[in-house]
């Protein structure tokens, strides 16, 4: 049987414990999981793509079937190129649902062989997003329980540098 490969796409600016929870759960189900960082997103990122990939790799070393990669263009084309038949997305609040339904529907139209699978957030992370983490870290508060320790250190470095006169 061919390998079951899943893609966890997103901005990961930066990766949080909420992301990691979804990645770990996907890694327990699929043979291979590719964490795919979207390039050229319209959002102005805090971390560049290489920094985001390095952080993802640093915090997934305990998951041998997880790799990180960057992609541009259409996700379904990237999925086909990587021979991944499944896109895994996390769902937090109801507010995620409408947007995710739109994206999943258009992706299905573009390539009906690629399935989108949703995983409910772990309730402990239902409020957690990269934006919240950046907001908290920017004002010097602790993000200790929200992100892995390597990410906390990277955020500290980023904001310390930006606070230099
Ligand atoms: P995007 O900009 O594509 O939404 P994100 O990096 O914000 O990218 O999120 C990537 C994926 O991780 C999305 O499927 C998102 O729903 C999921 N995700 C983000 N935060 C959490 C969380 N706290 N719990 C569960 N899933 C999450």
């Amino acid at each position: 049987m061919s390998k079951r490969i899943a893609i966890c796409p997103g901005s990961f600016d930066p990766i949080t414990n909420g992301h990691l929870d979804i990645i770990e759960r996907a890694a327990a189900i699929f043979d291979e999981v590719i964490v795919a960082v979207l390039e050229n997103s319209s959002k102005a990122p805090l971390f560049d793509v290489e920094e985001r990939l390095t952080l993802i790799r640093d915090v997934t070393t305990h998951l041998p079937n997880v790799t990180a990669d960057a992609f541009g263009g259409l996700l379904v084309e990237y999925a086909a190129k990587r021979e991944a038949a499944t896109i895994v997305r996390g769902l937090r609040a109801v507010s995620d649902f409408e947007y995710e339904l739109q994206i999943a529907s258009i992706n299905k139209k573009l390539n009906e062989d690629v399935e989108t699978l949703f995983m409910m957030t772990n309730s402990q992370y239902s409020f957690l997003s990269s934006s919240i983490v950046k907001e908290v870290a920017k004002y010097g508060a602790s993000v200790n329980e929200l992100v892995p320790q390597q990410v906390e250190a990277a955020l500290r470095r980023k904001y310390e540098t930006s606070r230099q006169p």
Side-chain angles (χ1 to χ4, degrees):
M1 214 177 80
S2 61
K3 274 190 174 177
R4 288 166 310 166
I5 304 173
I7 293 189
C8 292
S11 314
F12 303 99
D13 184 37
I15 185 166
T16 69
N17 287 343
H19 291 129
L20 195 52
D21 179 61
I22 298 285
I23 295 165
E24 283 171 348
R25 286 156 62 194
I29 298 172
F30 291 91
D31 297 317
E32 266 180 43
V33 172
I34 302 164
V35 182
V37 176
L38 175 62
E39 289 171 339
N40 324 317
S41 151
S42 51
K43 304 174 196 168
L46 177 65
F47 293 96
D48 67 30
V49 171
E50 278 311 313
E51 291 173 317
R52 284 180 266 162
L53 286 172
T54 302
L55 287 174
I56 294 166
R57 290 182 184 126
D58 282 354
V59 303
T60 55
T61 50
H62 61 299
L63 302 167
N65 58 338
V66 172
T67 56
D69 191 16
F71 78 101
L74 287 176
L75 176 59
V76 286
E77 281 177 9
Y78 176 73
K81 193 177 95 188
R82 298 298 308 263
E83 297 178 348
T86 314
I87 294 166
V88 173
R89 295 281 292 174
L91 277 184
R92 282 160 296 185
V94 181
S95 51
D96 278 346
F97 181 81
E98 207 166 326
Y99 173 73
E100 292 295 339
L101 179 64
Q102 262 180 29
I103 303 288
S105 309
I106 192 72
N107 282 340
K108 194 80 189 166
K109 219 184 238 326
L110 292 168
N111 185 341
E112 61 176 10
D113 297 330
V114 178
E115 199 65 62
T116 304
L117 186 80
F118 292 101
M119 280 193 192
M120 290 300 165
T121 182
N122 181 325
S123 57
Q124 130 190 51
Y125 303 131
S126 57
F127 63 93
L128 183 54
S129 68
S130 299
S131 322
I132 294 286
V133 164
K134 285 182 277 191
E135 204 59 24
V136 172
K138 190 163 120 186
Y139 296 106
S142 171
V143 288
N144 175 36
E145 284 173 15
L146 310 179
V147 295
Q149 171 247 312
Q150 297 95 319
V151 176
E152 188 182 11
L155 281 161
R156 206 176 304 122
R157 283 195 299 273
K158 223 11 130 186
Y159 286 120
E160 268 165 17
T161 319
S162 70
R163 273 199 284 266
Q164 303 285 319

Short mmCIF file of all heavy atoms in Angstrom, two decimals, residues 9-13 16 18-19 22 43 88-92 96 99-100 119-122 125-130, ligand 1:
data_model
loop_
_atom_site.label_atom_id
_atom_site.label_comp_id
_atom_site.label_asym_id
_atom_site.label_seq_id
_atom_site.Cartn_x
_atom_site.Cartn_y
_atom_site.Cartn_z
N PRO A 9 -1.04 22.72 6.42
CA PRO A 9 -0.60 24.01 5.88
C PRO A 9 -0.94 25.16 6.83
O PRO A 9 -1.87 25.05 7.64
CB PRO A 9 -1.46 24.12 4.62
CG PRO A 9 -2.73 23.44 4.98
CD PRO A 9 -2.40 22.38 5.98
N GLY A 10 -0.21 26.25 6.69
CA GLY A 10 -0.54 27.43 7.49
C GLY A 10 0.55 28.48 7.43
O GLY A 10 1.53 28.33 6.68
N SER A 11 0.37 29.52 8.22
CA SER A 11 1.36 30.58 8.27
C SER A 11 2.44 30.28 9.31
O SER A 11 3.61 30.62 9.12
CB SER A 11 0.70 31.92 8.63
OG SER A 11 -0.47 32.10 7.88
N PHE A 12 2.04 29.71 10.43
CA PHE A 12 2.99 29.34 11.49
C PHE A 12 3.93 30.48 11.85
O PHE A 12 5.14 30.31 11.89
CB PHE A 12 3.78 28.08 11.10
CG PHE A 12 2.92 26.90 10.77
CD1 PHE A 12 2.63 26.57 9.45
CD2 PHE A 12 2.34 26.15 11.78
CE1 PHE A 12 1.80 25.49 9.14
CE2 PHE A 12 1.50 25.07 11.48
CZ PHE A 12 1.24 24.74 10.16
N ASP A 13 3.34 31.64 12.11
CA ASP A 13 4.16 32.85 12.37
C ASP A 13 3.99 33.33 13.81
O ASP A 13 3.37 34.38 14.02
CB ASP A 13 3.74 33.94 11.37
CG ASP A 13 4.61 35.18 11.52
OD1 ASP A 13 5.82 35.02 11.77
OD2 ASP A 13 4.09 36.29 11.40
N THR A 16 2.73 27.48 17.41
CA THR A 16 2.27 27.54 18.82
C THR A 16 2.01 26.11 19.33
O THR A 16 2.03 25.15 18.55
CB THR A 16 0.95 28.32 18.94
OG1 THR A 16 -0.09 27.54 18.32
CG2 THR A 16 1.03 29.69 18.28
N GLY A 18 -0.83 25.07 20.06
CA GLY A 18 -2.06 24.64 19.38
C GLY A 18 -1.73 23.95 18.06
O GLY A 18 -2.26 22.89 17.74
N HIS A 19 -0.82 24.56 17.29
CA HIS A 19 -0.35 23.93 16.04
C HIS A 19 0.29 22.56 16.34
O HIS A 19 0.01 21.57 15.68
CB HIS A 19 0.73 24.78 15.36
CG HIS A 19 0.25 26.09 14.79
ND1 HIS A 19 0.87 27.28 15.08
CD2 HIS A 19 -0.76 26.39 13.94
CE1 HIS A 19 0.26 28.26 14.42
NE2 HIS A 19 -0.74 27.75 13.72
N ILE A 22 -2.02 19.69 16.96
CA ILE A 22 -2.63 19.15 15.72
C ILE A 22 -1.59 18.32 14.96
O ILE A 22 -1.89 17.23 14.46
CB ILE A 22 -3.15 20.31 14.81
CG1 ILE A 22 -4.24 21.13 15.51
CG2 ILE A 22 -3.61 19.80 13.45
CD1 ILE A 22 -5.60 20.48 15.61
N LYS A 43 -0.38 38.57 4.69
CA LYS A 43 -0.07 39.12 6.02
C LYS A 43 1.43 39.47 6.09
O LYS A 43 2.26 38.75 5.53
CB LYS A 43 -0.35 38.08 7.10
CG LYS A 43 -1.77 37.55 7.10
CD LYS A 43 -1.89 36.41 8.13
CE LYS A 43 -3.14 35.60 7.92
NZ LYS A 43 -3.16 34.36 8.69
N VAL A 88 -4.73 18.54 6.46
CA VAL A 88 -5.25 18.56 7.84
C VAL A 88 -5.29 20.01 8.33
O VAL A 88 -4.28 20.72 8.26
CB VAL A 88 -4.37 17.72 8.79
CG1 VAL A 88 -4.82 17.88 10.24
CG2 VAL A 88 -4.40 16.25 8.38
N ARG A 89 -6.46 20.43 8.81
CA ARG A 89 -6.60 21.77 9.39
C ARG A 89 -7.19 21.65 10.78
O ARG A 89 -7.95 20.73 11.07
CB ARG A 89 -7.54 22.62 8.51
CG ARG A 89 -7.01 22.91 7.12
CD ARG A 89 -5.99 24.00 7.06
NE ARG A 89 -6.54 25.32 7.36
CZ ARG A 89 -5.80 26.42 7.46
NH1 ARG A 89 -4.49 26.37 7.33
NH2 ARG A 89 -6.36 27.57 7.72
N GLY A 90 -6.83 22.58 11.63
CA GLY A 90 -7.39 22.61 12.98
C GLY A 90 -8.59 23.55 13.02
O GLY A 90 -8.61 24.55 12.31
N LEU A 91 -9.56 23.20 13.84
CA LEU A 91 -10.72 24.08 14.02
C LEU A 91 -10.80 24.51 15.47
O LEU A 91 -10.78 23.68 16.37
CB LEU A 91 -12.01 23.34 13.67
CG LEU A 91 -12.46 23.25 12.22
CD1 LEU A 91 -13.81 22.57 12.18
CD2 LEU A 91 -12.54 24.62 11.56
N ARG A 92 -10.89 25.82 15.67
CA ARG A 92 -11.03 26.33 17.03
C ARG A 92 -12.49 26.71 17.26
O ARG A 92 -13.33 25.87 17.47
CB ARG A 92 -10.11 27.54 17.24
CG ARG A 92 -8.67 27.15 17.47
CD ARG A 92 -7.72 28.26 17.21
NE ARG A 92 -7.76 28.64 15.79
CZ ARG A 92 -6.96 29.53 15.23
NH1 ARG A 92 -6.08 30.17 15.95
NH2 ARG A 92 -7.04 29.78 13.95
N ASP A 96 -13.89 29.98 12.93
CA ASP A 96 -12.99 29.35 11.95
C ASP A 96 -13.78 28.65 10.85
O ASP A 96 -13.29 28.48 9.74
CB ASP A 96 -12.13 28.27 12.62
CG ASP A 96 -10.90 28.82 13.34
OD1 ASP A 96 -10.56 29.98 13.10
OD2 ASP A 96 -10.29 28.07 14.13
N TYR A 99 -14.76 30.21 7.07
CA TYR A 99 -13.58 30.38 6.24
C TYR A 99 -13.04 29.02 5.79
O TYR A 99 -12.76 28.80 4.61
CB TYR A 99 -12.52 31.16 7.02
CG TYR A 99 -11.18 31.26 6.35
CD1 TYR A 99 -11.01 32.10 5.25
CD2 TYR A 99 -10.09 30.53 6.81
CE1 TYR A 99 -9.77 32.19 4.64
CE2 TYR A 99 -8.86 30.62 6.20
CZ TYR A 99 -8.70 31.45 5.12
OH TYR A 99 -7.49 31.53 4.50
N GLU A 100 -12.95 28.11 6.74
CA GLU A 100 -12.40 26.78 6.42
C GLU A 100 -13.30 26.04 5.43
O GLU A 100 -12.80 25.33 4.56
CB GLU A 100 -12.24 25.96 7.71
CG GLU A 100 -11.16 26.51 8.65
CD GLU A 100 -9.76 26.43 8.07
OE1 GLU A 100 -9.51 25.65 7.15
OE2 GLU A 100 -8.89 27.19 8.57
N MET A 119 -9.54 18.73 12.45
CA MET A 119 -9.40 18.23 13.82
C MET A 119 -9.80 19.32 14.78
O MET A 119 -9.39 20.48 14.61
CB MET A 119 -7.95 17.88 14.09
CG MET A 119 -7.54 16.57 13.54
SD MET A 119 -5.96 16.15 14.26
CE MET A 119 -5.55 14.78 13.21
N MET A 120 -10.61 18.95 15.77
CA MET A 120 -11.01 19.93 16.78
C MET A 120 -9.81 20.27 17.65
O MET A 120 -9.05 19.39 18.03
CB MET A 120 -12.11 19.34 17.67
CG MET A 120 -13.41 19.17 16.98
SD MET A 120 -13.98 20.77 16.39
CE MET A 120 -15.23 20.23 15.27
N THR A 121 -9.70 21.54 17.97
CA THR A 121 -8.63 21.95 18.85
C THR A 121 -8.76 21.24 20.20
O THR A 121 -9.87 20.94 20.65
CB THR A 121 -8.68 23.48 19.07
OG1 THR A 121 -7.60 23.86 19.88
CG2 THR A 121 -9.96 23.92 19.73
N ASN A 122 -7.66 21.02 20.81
CA ASN A 122 -7.63 20.60 22.20
C ASN A 122 -8.19 21.79 23.00
O ASN A 122 -7.73 22.91 22.81
CB ASN A 122 -6.16 20.35 22.54
CG ASN A 122 -5.95 19.87 23.93
OD1 ASN A 122 -6.65 20.28 24.85
ND2 ASN A 122 -4.97 19.00 24.08
N TYR A 125 -6.34 24.80 24.10
CA TYR A 125 -5.74 25.74 23.14
C TYR A 125 -6.78 26.48 22.28
O TYR A 125 -6.43 27.09 21.28
CB TYR A 125 -4.78 24.99 22.21
CG TYR A 125 -3.70 24.25 22.91
CD1 TYR A 125 -3.43 22.92 22.61
CD2 TYR A 125 -2.93 24.87 23.90
CE1 TYR A 125 -2.43 22.22 23.26
CE2 TYR A 125 -1.93 24.17 24.56
CZ TYR A 125 -1.69 22.85 24.24
OH TYR A 125 -0.70 22.18 24.89
N SER A 126 -8.03 26.40 22.68
CA SER A 126 -9.07 26.93 21.80
C SER A 126 -8.98 28.45 21.60
O SER A 126 -9.52 28.98 20.64
CB SER A 126 -10.45 26.53 22.32
OG SER A 126 -10.59 27.01 23.62
N PHE A 127 -8.32 29.13 22.50
CA PHE A 127 -8.18 30.58 22.40
C PHE A 127 -6.86 30.98 21.75
O PHE A 127 -6.57 32.17 21.58
CB PHE A 127 -8.22 31.20 23.82
CG PHE A 127 -7.06 30.73 24.64
CD1 PHE A 127 -5.89 31.47 24.70
CD2 PHE A 127 -7.11 29.51 25.30
CE1 PHE A 127 -4.78 31.02 25.40
CE2 PHE A 127 -6.00 29.04 26.01
CZ PHE A 127 -4.85 29.81 26.06
N LEU A 128 -6.04 30.00 21.43
CA LEU A 128 -4.63 30.27 21.09
C LEU A 128 -4.41 30.48 19.60
O LEU A 128 -4.85 29.69 18.78
CB LEU A 128 -3.79 29.09 21.59
CG LEU A 128 -2.28 29.15 21.44
CD1 LEU A 128 -1.71 30.42 22.05
CD2 LEU A 128 -1.66 27.93 22.10
N SER A 129 -3.73 31.57 19.26
CA SER A 129 -3.35 31.81 17.86
C SER A 129 -1.98 32.46 17.85
O SER A 129 -1.53 33.01 18.86
CB SER A 129 -4.37 32.75 17.20
OG SER A 129 -4.27 34.04 17.80
N SER A 130 -1.33 32.43 16.68
CA SER A 130 -0.03 33.09 16.56
C SER A 130 -0.16 34.59 16.85
O SER A 130 0.74 35.18 17.46
CB SER A 130 0.53 32.90 15.15
OG SER A 130 0.71 31.54 14.86
P1 LIG B 1 -3.59 30.23 8.52
O1 LIG B 1 -3.09 31.63 8.34
O2 LIG B 1 -3.58 29.41 7.27
O3 LIG B 1 -4.87 30.10 9.31
P2 LIG B 1 -2.23 29.43 10.92
O4 LIG B 1 -0.76 29.31 11.09
O5 LIG B 1 -2.94 30.47 11.69
O6 LIG B 1 -2.46 29.55 9.37
O7 LIG B 1 -2.93 28.04 11.26
C1 LIG B 1 -2.53 26.84 10.63
C2 LIG B 1 -3.50 25.73 11.02
O8 LIG B 1 -3.43 25.49 12.42
C3 LIG B 1 -4.95 26.07 10.74
O9 LIG B 1 -5.61 24.88 10.36
C4 LIG B 1 -5.47 26.53 12.06
O10 LIG B 1 -6.86 26.35 12.20
C5 LIG B 1 -4.72 25.61 13.00
N1 LIG B 1 -4.58 26.17 14.34
C6 LIG B 1 -4.01 27.33 14.70
N2 LIG B 1 -4.08 27.52 16.02
C7 LIG B 1 -4.73 26.42 16.53
C8 LIG B 1 -5.14 26.00 17.84
N3 LIG B 1 -4.91 26.77 18.91
N4 LIG B 1 -5.78 24.83 17.95
C9 LIG B 1 -6.03 24.07 16.86
N5 LIG B 1 -5.67 24.42 15.61
C10 LIG B 1 -5.04 25.56 15.43
#
